[in-house]
Amino acid sequence: MNVLTDNFSTYGEGFLGTLELTVYASLLALVLGFVMASFRVAPVGSLRIFGTAWVTVLRNTPLTLLFFAVLLGLPRFGLVLPFKVFAVLALGCYTSAFICEALRSGINTVPRGQGEAARSLGMSFAQTLSLVVLPQAFRSVIPPVGSTLIALAKNSAIAGAFSVTELLGTYKTINELGYNIVWTFVWIAVGYLIITLAISALFHVLERMWGVAR
């Protein structure tokens, strides 16, 4: 226990850093995922192409490479932001591709007649999607979206290699102080477990409230 008690402030700072990355990147991923899923089913061809390209590129790009592109590439074009903001952008954009596909699969489960009925009542595409299709699709995509956000929380560990304060990076400081490396990683794992179990519990509640009975 002395590894934890003697370095509680270090662990706490890393835990809060990972928590911030997870929350902000999750919000960004959900917003972008919703937008890209809308693009992928839009009646406008250019939007479908853009949405498809977004998903294809990001899903097939290693996350570490995306971190290099964002944290080291964007400043060369004059965009200088704190590294934590760049890390949120990298994590959020990467995860949005998977959120998009989860939402699109949910949209495909909604009977086509629902959309046709909405259009026959004079609803626009945006109204049909937001008021009729997505509320039904959301019920079936709660589990995969939850799993994707849990993966995001674990992927945030990559940010530590780019001078961003997060939980995994605390091992360097604690190891330099001569503490047992095994117990150092045990308490890091406990921190990630707390975050992932909290996300899992949240989506379990959402699934019980609105999920589709199987």
Side-chain angles (χ1 to χ4, degrees):
M1 285 292 293
N2 67 311
V3 175
L4 176 63
T5 56
D6 293 350
N7 302 280
F8 192 78
S9 60
T10 302
Y11 274 119
E13 186 178 0
F15 180 85
L16 290 177
T18 294
L19 191 61
E20 286 183 1
L21 285 174
T22 301
V23 171
Y24 293 138
S26 295
L27 292 175
L28 179 61
L30 289 170
V31 171
L32 287 177
F34 167 76
V35 172
M36 292 304 154
S38 302
F39 282 4
R40 294 211 65 184
V41 298
V44 182
S46 58
L47 293 180
R48 290 199 303 272
I49 292 172
F50 183 84
T52 301
W54 179 276
V55 170
T56 301
V57 171
L58 290 177
R59 288 186 72 188
N60 293 284
T61 300
L63 181 55
T64 305
L65 179 59
L66 186 59
F67 263 88
F68 275 111
V70 172
L71 275 78
L72 303 180
L74 292 182
R76 294 179 178 271
F77 294 94
L79 184 58
V80 180
L81 296 170
F83 270 19
K84 179 170 286 188
V85 176
F86 281 136
V88 168
L89 287 174
L91 281 169
C93 290
Y94 177 79
T95 308
S96 71
F98 297 90
I99 296 289
C100 169
E101 287 302 274
L103 289 175
R104 190 171 72 95
S105 67
I107 290 171
N108 289 336
T109 65
V110 179
R112 188 181 297 272
Q114 296 281 328
E116 294 174 350
R119 287 191 293 273
S120 69
L121 294 174
M123 289 187 176
S124 64
F125 170 74
Q127 290 174 322
T128 300
L129 190 64
S130 61
L131 299 177
V132 178
V133 177
L134 280 178
Q136 298 181 69
F138 172 74
R139 299 176 63 207
S140 64
V141 301
I142 293 174
V145 168
S147 297
T148 302
L149 296 185
I150 287 173
L152 183 153
K154 293 183 287 186
N155 287 338
S156 67
I158 297 176
F162 297 89
S163 303
V164 177
T165 301
E166 51 78 42
L167 189 55
L168 182 60
T170 59
Y171 89 90
K172 299 175 185 177
T173 302
I174 298 173
N175 188 47
E176 289 173 357
L177 296 174
Y179 288 91
N180 187 304
I181 191 65
V182 174
W183 283 106
T184 298
F185 280 113
V186 166
W187 291 115
I188 289 174
V190 169
Y192 280 107
L193 188 63
I194 292 172
I195 294 174
T196 55
L197 286 179
I199 297 173
S200 179
L202 172 62
F203 277 84
H204 179 68
V205 171
L206 293 177
E207 187 175 9
R208 290 190 63 180
M209 291 173 61
W210 295 310
V212 176
R214 301 184 185 280

